[in-house]
Amino acid sequence: EVPYIGSRISLISKSEIRYEGTLYTINTQESTVALQHVRSFGTEGRRADGPQIQPSQEVYEYIIFRGADIKDLNVMSGSAPDAAAQPPAPAPAPAPAAP
């Protein structure tokens, strides 16, 4: 299993646009990174020349980024814990005996 799958990721593209989403997959053969439930936060003042890109309220189901298009990538938070790793729920208290 690939580490960080399911983690919240902040990615900045070579065009200085920041995206946040959940890491869905990494394809090492094609050098791509796929994020799920992705929002674009625009350039946020990073672009030195040319127009700034505004943030978008739209949430994209998936975006696949080529490795060559990625300037920076940060893991913001870990993946959701596995259900199998959760401790078992406490057993319910026994019902009182009928008289």
Side-chain angles (χ1 to χ4, degrees), residues 2 5 9 11 16 29-30 35 40 43 49 59 64 83-84 93-94:
V2 179
I5 295 295
I9 299 293
L11 180 151
E16 301 293 351
Q29 283 79 33
E30 296 180 14
L35 298 184
S40 167
T43 51
D49 53 346
V59 176
I64 298 173

Side-chain angles (χ1 to χ4, degrees), residues 59-74:
V59 176
Y60 301 93
E61 190 65 27
Y62 293 96
I63 298 180
I64 298 173
F65 298 90
R66 291 185 309 229
D69 294 335
I70 299 171
K71 178 179 178 182
D72 190 29
L73 188 147
N74 289 297

Side-chain angles (χ1 to χ4, degrees), residues 12-82:
I12 298 175
S13 70
K14 289 278 171 86
S15 53
E16 301 293 351
I17 299 170
R18 181 168 68 92
Y19 299 88
E20 285 184 10
T22 303
L23 183 60
Y24 182 71
T25 188
I26 297 172
N27 185 323
T28 53
Q29 283 79 33
E30 296 180 14
S31 297
T32 60
V33 173
L35 298 184
Q36 183 178 24
H37 307 129
V38 188
R39 277 200 56 207
S40 167
F41 290 84
T43 51
E44 301 172 312
R46 277 182 294 277
R47 191 177 274 178
D49 53 346
Q52 298 295 319
I53 305 296
Q54 295 303 309
S56 169
Q57 293 301 312
E58 187 172 351
V59 176
Y60 301 93
E61 190 65 27
Y62 293 96
I63 298 180
I64 298 173
F65 298 90
R66 291 185 309 229
D69 294 335
I70 299 171
K71 178 179 178 182
D72 190 29
L73 188 147
N74 289 297
V75 177
M76 297 168 57
S77 64
S79 60
D82 258 348

